Amino acid sequence: QELRRALHNNEFVLHYQPQFSSDEQVVIGVEALIRWQHPELGLLSAAEVIPIAENSGLIVDIGKWVIGEACRQYSAWIDQGIHDLRIAVNMSVTQLRDPQFVSIVANALESYNMPGNSLELEVTESSLQNSERNVAALRHIESLGVTISIDDFGTGYSCMSSLKMLPIHRLKIDQSFVKDIPGEQSDCAIATAIIVL
């Protein structure tokens, strides 16, 4: 009930974590991270919002808001002279299964005059395994020019032959493999192997 109220009362905000290119030494994008400005409990993280949203079925409506808000922010940054920035948004399996998902993304892009290649949708490995429907939705999204990445890569059960067939442009290595780089040799080896892949 509180989540419904939060959506109705515009209590959600997006924070943007920079994505930095070590080669070019510039910020090349941001990841949109939802926060809930709770009237009594203060600022709550995604970890306190998403599980409840998933279980209650509100994730589709909240996800629609996130996509729209990210596209609106892109437009605002363009007006301020900030260009060449990609915005990444996390997607849930429930959103991918929603029949309106593709049109939600297409409408948000059109409403804010955002080119598809400035939006990146992050999905988990598990949401793509053995689901033709989810893969079909991502192929439609890809046709809009949107970049698709696998988030937390390395924590699921990836089948290399299926990865080859999926509409994926980017792999985001799970933090458990990169947090101890460069000190941990095995983490360095795993990260290097994924980059080569």
Side-chain angles (χ1 to χ4, degrees), residues 168-180:
I168 297 165
H169 307 104
R170 214 179 299 282
L171 299 176
K172 291 185 67 181
I173 303 170
D174 186 71
Q175 65 174 333
S176 63
F177 299 116
V178 297
K179 68 181 180 184
D180 293 324

Side-chain angles (χ1 to χ4, degrees), residues 68-112:
E69 177 61 16
C71 293
R72 185 206 63 76
Q73 182 61 67
Y74 170 87
S75 180
W77 281 331
I78 290 294
D79 290 345
Q80 295 168 19
I82 301 170
H83 299 278
D84 302 322
L85 209 59
R86 185 181 61 249
I87 299 181
V89 175
N90 290 287
M91 306 304 303
S92 77
V93 178
T94 308
Q95 288 174 272
L96 282 176
R97 290 182 186 144
D98 178 33
Q100 302 301 314
F101 175 66
V102 175
S103 61
I104 286 169
V105 175
N107 291 340
L109 291 171
E110 185 179 347
S111 294
Y112 294 102

